[in-house]
Amino acid sequence: MPPDTDGATLARERAAHDGPAAAPLLALLGSMVSTYVGAAIAKHLFPQVGSQGVTALRVGLAACLLLAWFRPWRRPLARAHVPDLLVYGAMLGCMNLLIYGAFARIPIGIAVAIEVTGPLLVVLAGSRRIGDFAWLACAVLGLWLLLPVHAHAAALDPLGVLLAGGAALCWAMYIVFGKRVSALQGGQAVAWGMLAAVLFTVPVGVFHAGAALLAPGVLAAGLGVALLSSALPYSLEMTALKRLPRRVFGLVVSASPAVSALAGWLVLGERLAPLQWLAIVLVMLASAGSALTAATVEK
């Protein structure tokens, strides 16, 4: 076969494997919209079963859906992947518990603006460029405007702020270990990871809410939250993680605070002050800018 034909064949095979360039970006955007619309709906359940109970429903039902859909046991799982899957699932479960606890105490948009600093840390962790310190300063300024540490800041529940900060650390670890297991085939990573997350979330939720979790209305609403906030978005995220560099992932995720704030406003009527919106924009700018400059250097 002539050399140019070989090259054309390889190009076609690569294109078939990679697919449209926009597909992973659209998958990640769809994941964010689904997650925060589901989170806004979930907040309506907090008075009945608490944030811990809603987390248990979300993760537990999502695990059942993902296991039934992907049936990951059909493919052998290498023993070397097990530790990474366990950490990935643990971070997934802890992140859900912490951020839902934050949602119960502070507006969703503010909680996510704090949480998104986790992906920002992932982007900046390996950088030594002077310009990245400007993005870090931008993020710090945004958080300073957001948090109740100056006279013009709105009052926020301190525990809610701490929970959102813990979720940020878990999100950073989720990205790191999610990238490690994203090469697994057939939805294995997200299905096994969600099952691992069940071990950390369901016992807490059952201890807190008990039999109230089994009420038909609560179960039905929990199923909707599981679909919107876990099963669908984590599947889409894993698709994106397979084909997006870690820093590009962080760039797209920088829109999370705006998406979540809009979901909180549309579904829950949560209105943020102009200074809070400015703070959110600064955090988004820091996350997007650092990811964009990092991706440019990689090229």
Side-chain angles (χ1 to χ4, degrees):
M1 184 177 291
D4 59 337
T5 307
D6 280 342
T9 302
L10 290 173
R12 284 195 298 270
E13 289 177 353
R14 187 178 295 111
H17 178 266
D18 292 343
L25 296 176
L26 291 175
L28 190 52
L29 180 60
S31 168
M32 288 191 296
V33 172
S34 181
T35 295
Y36 296 122
V37 170
I41 295 171
K43 197 164 180 176
H44 286 296
L45 288 175
F46 287 176
Q48 300 178 60
V49 293
S51 62
Q52 302 93 330
V54 176
T55 304
L57 287 172
R58 169 184 170 176
V59 175
L61 292 173
C64 294
L65 292 170
L66 290 168
L67 288 169
W69 179 258
F70 289 116
R71 290 179 288 174
W73 53 83
R74 293 179 300 171
R75 292 178 174 86
L77 180 63
R79 186 174 298 178
H81 288 303
V82 173
D84 287 339
L85 275 172
L86 288 175
V87 178
Y88 168 71
M91 293 301 102
L92 182 59
C94 291
M95 180 174 66
N96 278 282
L97 280 172
L98 292 169
I99 198 59
Y100 268 30
F103 288 167
R105 295 167 174 83
I106 59 178
I108 288 176
I110 294 176
V112 174
I114 298 170
E115 186 191 27
V116 82
T117 57
L120 176 59
L121 288 175
V122 173
V123 173
L124 295 176
S127 176
R128 298 296 184 269
R129 296 185 305 277
I130 298 297
D132 284 333
F133 289 97
W135 299 124
L136 180 61
C138 186
V140 170
L141 176 59
L143 289 175
W144 183 79
L145 291 175
L146 197 61
L147 302 179
V149 293
H150 59 94
H152 301 289
L156 292 175
D157 186 320
L159 180 57
V161 172
L162 288 174
L163 290 171
L169 294 176
C170 289
W171 196 353
M173 296 295 290
Y174 164 81
I175 292 173
V176 172
F177 284 89
K179 190 68 175 177
R180 292 184 184 180
V181 300
S182 63
L184 294 176
Q185 299 296 315
Q188 278 187 309
V190 69
W192 289 131
M194 190 65 72
L195 182 61
V198 166
L199 303 176
F200 295 89
T201 56
V202 171
V204 176
V206 170
F207 177 80
H208 178 81
L213 293 173
L214 300 178
V218 171
L219 278 175
L223 180 60
V225 171
L227 283 168
L228 286 171
S229 290
S230 288
L232 177 59
Y234 290 136
S235 298
L236 291 172
E237 274 190 14
M238 193 54 60
T239 298
L241 278 168
K242 285 182 180 180
R243 294 167 54 192
L244 288 178
R246 189 183 301 168
R247 291 183 174 91
V248 177
F249 185 93
L251 172 64
V252 180
V253 165
S254 66
S256 294
V259 174
S260 60
L262 289 172
W265 172 56
L266 291 172
V267 180
L268 300 169
E270 293 180 346
R271 297 182 180 274
L272 303 182
L275 192 63
Q276 291 173 323
W277 273 111
L278 175 60
I280 286 175
V281 168
L282 287 171
V283 172
M284 290 172 56
L285 180 62
S287 184
S290 60
L292 184 60
T293 54
T296 301
V297 170
E298 282 183 344
K299 292 179 181 179

